Amino acid sequence: MLKLASTVLVALFTVFSTGAFARPFTDAGGRTVEIPDHVTRVLTAGPPASVLVYVLAPDKLTGWVREPSAQEKQFLAPSVQNLPTYGRLTGQGGTANMEAVIAAKPDLIIDVGTVNPTYVSLADKVQQQTGIPYVLIDGSFEKTPQTLREVGDLLGVAPRAQELATYAETTLKTLHDGLAKLPSDKRPKVYYGRGPEGLETGLSGSINMEMLQAAGADNVAAAAGKGGLTNVSLEQVLGWNPDIILAASPKFAQAVKSDPSWASVEAVKSGKVFTAPALPFGWFDSPPGINRLIGIRWLETLLYPQGFDGDLKADVRAFFKLFYQVDVSDADLDTLLKGALPSSK
């Protein structure tokens, strides 16, 4: 404890004696945080923030909250593939500690996602313990353009942020315009199953289900109430009888197609069980960050094959080049979209 206390005091003395704080910033929690004039090192509190900082300013990212897998690294820029892993400060399974946070020597800590009193309290606690500015950013999907511009300004990369925000605005406008032309009876009933058994899902209002809502589909699990992630029974899913099943796990997607227990579900009978793309970050969920933008194009193609124009594979190439700064080959596309579309696509 004495070692940690002395480290914190040194960090605080260094920051306040240099006069590094240049401007106040009011974050999504209503907290006024003094932001350094020049932000060169950013520590992220959770996965959505890691993705956001990576796409905006990869050179400022101090490390990952979870080490990317070998397959994920194939779709990340070489400069970030082997950054240190610090663990996460927020959410379930928080593993980072204050000594590790201080040792990373960040100018700023960013957390992106749901903002509520619990996260506000955590941000205040970490900031008080470390002396490092800690900001909360609303991670709502519909606010993606605003989020990009806001954080881009914080990081001093406004032109880059503007380019990405414009892409996001165009994507959302295309989606909204297309959905406005579709009658309600063309909106499919969808079940999203997480985990190898597929019986974890998101209720109405869950941040993990924002993509389904944005895409205008009917989340059948909303019948179970409002909230976040929850476990449901097979009997409940059978009763909801979804038109389409989206699986977070390829194992679940494969199993459900041959399991007699699921045979009566309309999605299984019609062969509409698909795996949500997940490289290098989830396109639907996991994490619920700006990585989901490309998931919109996937869902448009999957859910409304006659309602939207465009070339999904070309869009994937363009997104990966612009956001992740990597080139995607034909073989890469096959890997990225494996199990995610009807076999004829």
Side-chain angles (χ1 to χ4, degrees):
M1 289 298 293
L2 288 175
K3 179 181 178 183
L4 174 59
S6 62
T7 305
V8 171
L9 287 174
V10 170
L12 286 169
F13 176 78
T14 300
V15 170
F16 289 112
S17 64
T18 58
F21 292 137
R23 58 192 169 112
F25 172 78
T26 301
D27 72 4
R31 303 161 58 253
T32 299
V33 182
E34 294 294 328
I35 304 300
D37 188 22
H38 299 291
V39 175
T40 59
R41 291 180 60 80
V42 181
L43 188 141
T44 55
S50 294
V51 180
L52 181 61
V53 175
Y54 165 50
V55 302
L56 282 170
D59 59 310
K60 299 178 189 289
L61 185 65
T62 60
W64 299 104
V65 299
R66 175 187 65 78
E67 183 180 3
S69 69
Q71 194 173 31
E72 290 165 345
K73 287 180 180 180
Q74 295 177 30
F75 298 99
L76 297 174
S79 63
V80 304
Q81 289 178 6
N82 298 307
L83 288 175
T85 301
Y86 295 114
R88 60 189 299 165
L89 285 169
T90 62
Q92 296 180 355
T95 56
N97 60 61
M98 293 307 102
E99 287 195 18
V101 170
I102 294 171
K105 298 181 181 180
D107 303 309
L108 182 66
I109 298 173
I110 294 180
D111 190 12
V112 179
T114 301
V115 178
N116 59 33
T118 298
Y119 289 106
V120 170
S121 176
L122 176 63
D124 286 339
K125 179 181 178 181
V126 173
Q127 185 167 300
Q128 290 166 5
Q129 290 179 329
T130 65
I132 302 166
Y134 189 130
V135 298
L136 296 167
I137 303 295
D138 187 340
S140 302
F141 182 69
E142 288 289 340
K143 293 184 178 180
T144 296
Q146 174 185 328
T147 296
L148 286 162
R149 290 191 177 98
E150 187 173 55
V151 177
D153 182 62
L154 283 177
L155 302 184
V157 290
R160 166 76 173 164
Q162 178 61 32
E163 184 179 19
L164 301 188
T166 298
Y167 177 101
E169 286 172 338
T170 300
T171 297
L172 292 174
K173 184 179 187 304
T174 299
L175 173 66
H176 296 156
D177 290 349
L179 291 177
K181 300 174 184 177
L182 291 172
S184 58
D185 62 355
K186 297 296 183 182
R187 311 290 180 89
K189 297 188 302 178
V190 180
Y191 173 73
Y192 174 56
R194 292 166 52 107
E197 306 300 323
L199 292 177
E200 181 184 57
T201 192
L203 300 172
S204 173
S206 168
I207 191 173
N208 305 87
M209 303 301 290
E210 276 189 313
M211 287 291 288
L212 206 55
Q213 178 181 348
D218 177 14
N219 172 21
V220 296
K226 186 176 178 63
L229 293 174
T230 189
N231 290 313
V232 297
S233 68
L234 174 59
E235 288 71 26
Q236 284 177 293
V237 182
L238 295 178
W240 297 330
N241 195 29
D243 302 313
I244 294 174
I245 292 176
L246 302 181
S249 165
K251 180 179 178 180
F252 167 56
Q254 188 61 36
V256 74
K257 295 174 184 178
S258 58
D259 188 339
S261 302
W262 290 81
S264 65
V265 177
E266 181 59 34
V268 178
K269 291 193 293 185
S270 60
K272 294 183 178 180
V273 178
F274 306 102
T275 303
L279 292 172
F281 312 106
W283 294 22
F284 185 92
D285 183 18
S286 298
I290 63 164
N291 40 288
R292 298 174 293 175
L293 272 174
I294 189 57
I296 285 296
R297 287 296 298 117
W298 165 61
L299 287 175
E300 288 172 352
T301 301
L302 178 66
L303 304 181
Y304 313 109
Q306 308 304 322
F308 289 86
D309 297 324
D311 182 336
L312 177 60
K313 291 185 176 182
D315 290 337
V316 171
R317 289 184 195 274
F319 178 86
F320 273 58
K321 183 65 174 178
L322 177 60
F323 279 75
Y324 300 149
Q325 301 179 57
V326 295
D327 294 309
V328 175
S329 68
D330 289 341
D332 290 334
L333 287 170
D334 291 339
T335 298
L336 292 167
L337 296 169
K338 184 177 180 180
L341 296 168
S343 57
S344 60
K345 292 290 185 180

